[in-house]
Amino acid sequence: MSKHSYPLFVAIDGPAGSGKSSVSRAVARKLGYGYLDTGAAYRALAWHVLAQHIDAQDADAVAGALDTFDYTIGTEPDAYFVRVGQTDVTDAIREPQISAVVSAIARVPAVRTHLTELFRTIARAVPQPGVVVEGRDITTVVAPEAEVRILLTATEEARMARRSAEISTQSAHTVAEQLRSRDRADSQVVEFMSAADGVTTVDSTHLDFDQTIDAVVEVINTARNSQ
Ligand SMILES: Nc1ncnc2c1ncn2[C@@H]1O[C@H](COP(=O)(O)OP(=O)(O)O)[C@@H](O)[C@H]1O
Ligand SMILES: Nc1ccn([C@@H]2O[C@H](COP(=O)(O)OP(=O)(O)O)[C@@H](O)[C@H]2O)c(=O)n1
């Protein structure tokens, strides 16, 4: 199959709370593209590991859990869902107990290799003319050849404030501490705090949500026009 029969690949990376999921989904909706949230797969595997009473710190046991990991995700921006087997885990994977162990799951090399392949397969299969794929290592590992590569950033202060506004069950202090410690753990595995060569940075610190969407769409349009 020639390269042009695949959807246009928009790769977006960034730290927790930078707006990757919400902005990517809105951009996909606006452009009529598919949307792939890769963090959901790491979270769903963490959910599966906990459901199987596997120790999340036991790398071999976590890698073993991939054999029974039956994962489905919706790539329509308006019909997002995440399933493991027959169980809808869309909301369950956002719970604090999942966020607390997901970095341990994500540092297992066999997990990263397996999920990276899965992301490439899912992204290629979307029916739309393009796909927005967001995570931590999309611009660098999953799709370094992507037509559009963006690092979405915001100051730590802005990211913490946005995330704690979403979570009412925990104090702002707890949310900030957990986010900071997850970013620290994730940074040891993949680089997502600074842009790799050829990656365009969009800093949303002083942009509101709609302005951030416009900034990302502009990067996509510029890249498309130069191809
Ligand atoms: N530019 C922005 N200005 C204000 N709020 C934003 C902006 N971008 C994202 N948000 C909000 O911040 C929160 C975190 O965004 P989210 O997409 O979950 O981040 P990530 O996927 O990077 O962790 C959401 O409530 C989202 O609506
Ligand atoms: N491409 C990716 C995406 C997520 N992840 C891992 O999955 C976790 C959850 O990702 P997420 O995108 O849902 O996290 P948020 O930033 O949205 O809270 C991250 O903390 C990473 O440990 C990863 O390692 N590589």
Side-chain angles (χ1 to χ4, degrees):
M1 224 192 274
S2 81
K3 180 170 180 277
H4 294 287
S5 51
Y6 293 137
L8 181 113
F9 203 119
V10 180
I12 302 187
D13 288 326
S18 61
K20 297 179 304 295
S21 315
S22 53
V23 171
S24 299
R25 201 194 305 197
V27 166
R29 189 179 290 133
K30 195 163 188 169
L31 298 177
Y33 287 3
Y35 159 63
L36 179 59
D37 168 6
T38 64
Y42 289 95
R43 288 175 176 275
L45 181 59
W47 181 90
H48 180 60
V49 161
L50 296 186
Q52 304 290 309
H53 306 290
I54 291 167
D55 176 3
Q57 308 301 325
D58 180 342
D60 289 340
V62 168
L66 286 168
D67 293 343
T68 52
F69 184 51
D70 174 15
Y71 179 70
T72 323
I73 186 164
T75 55
E76 294 287 336
D78 288 315
Y80 179 81
F81 67 89
V82 182
R83 267 203 302 267
V84 176
Q86 299 300 310
T87 310
D88 187 306
V89 296
T90 313
D91 296 327
I93 62 171
R94 306 287 152 197
E95 294 292 327
Q97 63 268 31
I98 299 295
S99 302
V101 299
V102 67
S103 299
I105 303 294
R107 70 167 171 253
V108 177
V111 166
R112 302 205 71 83
T113 310
H114 182 95
L115 293 186
T116 294
E117 262 324 301
L118 185 67
F119 299 149
R120 290 175 182 151
T121 305
I122 297 172
R124 269 187 214 130
V126 304
Q128 293 93 342
V131 62
V132 184
V133 183
E134 53 95 357
R136 299 286 191 289
D137 62 343
I138 314 305
T139 63
T140 52
V141 178
V142 174
E145 309 293 321
E147 286 90 342
V148 187
R149 294 156 77 216
I150 295 172
L151 183 75
L152 189 58
T153 61
T155 58
E156 190 171 276
E157 197 184 6
R159 295 189 289 107
M160 308 287 154
R162 287 174 192 169
R163 192 41 75 80
S164 65
E166 279 182 325
I167 301 177
S168 56
T169 51
Q170 292 176 298
S171 74
H173 177 75
T174 307
V175 171
E177 267 315 302
Q178 286 172 350
L179 227 64
R180 225 175 268 131
S181 102
R182 190 150 57 86
D183 274 348
R184 241 192 329 263
D186 290 339
S187 297
Q188 291 168 4
V189 181
V190 285
E191 170 59 56
F192 55 82
M193 298 303 278
S194 59
D197 266 1
V199 174
T200 305
T201 299
V202 172
D203 184 341
S204 75
T205 308
H206 302 295
L207 304 179
D208 67 21
F209 188 62
D210 288 336
Q211 289 169 329
T212 310
I213 295 167
D214 291 345
V216 169
V217 169
E218 196 180 313
V219 175
I220 296 172
N221 286 337
T222 305
R224 270 164 54 185
N225 291 337
S226 69
Q227 268 161 21

